Amino acid sequence: MVGVTCSVNEQRWLTLGASIRGPQHVRGDLPNQDALKYTCPNDLPLFFAIADGHGSKRSMRSDWGSRCAVECASEILSGLKNNELFLSEIKNQATTKFPKTLLKQWRHAVHEHYDNVQPFTLAEREILGDANPLLAYGTTLLTVVVTETFIGYWQLGDGDILAVWRDGRVDRPLSKDARFIANETTSLCSPDAWKEFRVLIQPLIDDPPDLILLCTDGYSNSFVEEDDFFQAGRDFLALLENEGMAFVQHNLENWLAQTAQAGSGDDTTLGLIWREF
């Protein structure tokens, strides 16, 4: 997907991203269960979403579930600038309105898919057993939106979001969920999933980051030390500023493939939102 540009207050917000099928899935002839979608119209808001389908035996349709998740998030947030009520009460409504609406739309689409578009096969029903059919489509979701007045961050499940500044600072806007153990994660297929979203609304006047990095855990888990992962955020910012956006976009898929091959072996997806002066 080709990066695109927005301008505001003599700054430009640029987006780019890529997703590759992990070596483990290539060997197993499995699809890429990650998905990404990002937009940047002629003015803000700018939207970016990344989803990671679970890929377990019982989540045999999670590649479709992750694609559906980013499409639902995009549809909801693309009209953000025209919703004055949501903008005026964003800090109150971000924790309920967006997660609830997203979950409702995603579950409706999933039910429609297995009821009318692609019913479960007998083999899939045997694998699911008594489990909730939504498990077959289970996925995480990371979402960032940049408006003229704030940056909004939403996260359900694993994966990572980093904020990077030109002075070398790197931070997680959203704290890690200490409940995650091994491959456990919250998911859109979880009961009351809307309550599990971690949310932050950051006014743009409060020292906005120069780069926002979103990734599935296939990328972040490829680093042994967290400091190395944070350094990758600094390196991407330096590459964008020294080599340019076209250079990074041209090489991104290859870099992700090398990282996954040497690291997690999982599907690997990364998105970048760059604040260029």
Side-chain angles (χ1 to χ4, degrees):
M1 187 172 185
V2 178
V4 285
T5 303
C6 277
S7 299
V8 63
N9 298 330
E10 298 183 353
Q11 302 172 21
R12 294 197 302 167
W13 293 89
L14 299 94
T15 57
L16 63 154
S19 182
I20 61 104
R21 188 164 58 134
Q24 293 179 359
H25 285 181
V26 173
R27 290 192 294 270
D29 194 26
L30 297 172
N32 184 349
Q33 278 137 0
D34 289 356
L36 80 165
K37 187 176 180 67
Y38 54 98
T39 58
C40 187
N42 292 329
D43 56 357
L44 297 176
L46 170 157
F47 158 83
F48 213 124
I50 286 176
D52 182 358
H54 300 330
S56 64
K57 186 176 182 180
R58 290 199 295 178
S59 295
M60 75 289 288
R61 295 187 176 186
S62 62
D63 58 322
W64 193 95
S66 65
R67 293 195 303 272
C68 180
V70 298
E71 290 292 340
C72 289
S74 175
E75 181 179 345
I76 296 167
L77 291 177
S78 62
L80 184 63
K81 63 181 178 181
N82 296 319
N83 192 328
E84 295 180 359
L85 177 63
F86 188 83
L87 284 170
S88 65
E89 300 179 359
I90 183 64
K91 288 187 176 181
N92 294 323
Q93 299 214 23
T95 57
T96 55
K97 183 174 183 177
F98 172 66
K100 280 186 172 181
T101 304
L102 175 86
L103 184 61
K104 180 179 180 180
Q105 291 191 10
W106 182 82
R107 289 185 171 178
H108 175 78
V110 168
H111 283 297
E112 176 69 17
H113 188 257
Y114 70 73
D115 279 339
N116 300 315
V117 178
Q118 187 178 337
F120 287 116
T121 65
L122 178 59
E124 288 174 328
R125 290 188 178 279
E126 290 177 349
I127 292 171
L128 274 172
D130 295 329
N132 186 331
L134 294 176
L135 178 61
Y137 298 82
T139 182
T140 64
L141 181 65
L142 306 174
T143 304
V144 175
V145 63
V146 180
T147 76
E148 294 180 353
T149 56
F150 68 87
I151 303 175
Y153 303 88
W154 289 264
Q155 179 166 359
L156 176 69
D158 54 28
D160 280 278
I161 303 176
L162 296 182
V164 186
W165 286 263
R166 290 182 174 88
D167 61 11
R169 286 176 292 152
V170 182
D171 194 14
R172 282 189 172 89
L174 301 169
S175 59
K176 297 188 73 172
D177 193 326
R179 296 172 299 171
F180 295 161
I181 301 175
N183 292 323
E184 294 182 5
T185 183
T186 49
S187 167
L188 281 175
C189 69
S190 303
D192 294 326
W194 69 271
K195 298 179 181 178
E196 302 290 348
F197 275 85
R198 286 168 280 155
V199 182
L200 174 68
I201 302 301
Q202 176 193 30
L204 276 178
I205 59 173
D206 291 348
D207 189 24
D210 299 298
L211 179 72
I212 302 169
L213 181 153
L214 308 81
C215 66
T216 56
D217 64 349
Y219 185 75
S220 52
N221 285 348
S222 293
F223 296 88
V224 177
E225 301 293 338
E226 184 173 87
D227 287 346
D228 295 331
F229 174 48
F230 279 27
Q231 184 59 44
R234 298 185 188 98
D235 292 343
F236 273 115
L237 179 57
L239 282 166
L240 285 165
E241 300 200 328
N242 295 328
E243 303 295 339
M245 182 173 169
F247 174 82
V248 175
Q249 184 71 72
H250 177 74
N251 290 281
L252 189 54
E253 285 193 8
N254 186 47
W255 292 338
L256 294 185
Q258 292 175 6
T259 300
Q261 183 66 49
S264 69
D266 194 5
D267 297 333
T268 301
T269 301
L270 183 136
L272 300 171
I273 303 173
W274 177 33
R275 187 168 66 98
E276 182 194 42
F277 284 89

